[in-house]
Amino acid sequence: FRRRICGRMRQTVAYPIRMTLTEGRMDETPPPHLDFLAQLAPGPGLRLFDAYPDTRFFIKDGQGIYRYASRIMHLAHGFAHPEDVLGRTDHDFIPAYLADHYTRDDQRVLSGEEIWGRVEMVMRHPACPDWYVTSKIPLHGRDGAVVGLAGVSRDLQEAASIASPFVQFTPVLEHIRDHFASPVAVEDLARLAG
């Protein structure tokens, strides 16, 4: 059995490995579902994420360089084509105060952690931040080492079922969004929260 760590709780799951003798050495054969996934061509299946106009999907390598960006993501950042995002990092097109935050999270994920359902500020359009729910997971290479990460960010206003606990904070969130470039007083936020 090979053991893998997966899921939110970092539970260990065992799955069987087929062993075969080849030229005097034992070879591991992955389970059939992994054989199937290995034969798929990269890329085209990811276009399915373009079906959700409120959701951004992305893949970054171990250096934080974008290797895939969904249509909604590249359009939101002002790029005409997804290839315009590829090969760049967050610092190349996102304000530093947000890019620094994303990079810190990416480093956590690249060390093996998972981030699920974090509410954070994301650029909706150039110079226009808004609130999104973001999840990120590490991507593992064939040898088991983390080689990158995949993430999704969903517009909080569009994700009504996720947003319902935050409805009471709508005036606060709108104030922060409308005044993000100016100092925001905690007293003002408390007053808006009621």
Side-chain angles (χ1 to χ4, degrees), residues 26-48:
M26 294 298 287
D27 288 332
E28 294 182 4
T29 304
H33 70 279
L34 295 180
D35 284 342
F36 173 77
L37 294 175
Q39 70 183 337
L40 296 178
L46 299 175
R47 287 188 38 241
L48 182 61

Side-chain angles (χ1 to χ4, degrees), residues 44-94:
L46 299 175
R47 287 188 38 241
L48 182 61
F49 285 97
D50 293 340
Y52 298 96
D54 66 332
T55 303
R56 301 170 186 205
F57 177 72
F58 54 89
I59 295 175
K60 297 179 185 177
D61 67 17
Q63 288 73 48
I65 297 170
Y66 283 93
R67 298 303 176 186
Y68 179 84
S70 64
R71 181 176 182 275
I72 190 69
M73 184 171 175
H74 76 264
L75 292 175
H77 290 291
F79 296 109
H81 306 285
E83 296 79 27
D84 297 335
V85 174
L86 306 183
R88 297 175 184 250
T89 68
D90 289 323
H91 284 94
D92 292 329
F93 58 91
I94 296 173

Side-chain angles (χ1 to χ4, degrees), residues 122-145:
V122 172
M123 299 306 288
R124 178 184 287 273
H125 301 289
C128 180
D130 218 334
W131 296 99
Y132 278 67
V133 179
T134 300
S135 297
K136 298 179 182 180
I137 60 168
L139 298 176
H140 299 271
R142 293 184 192 273
D143 63 357

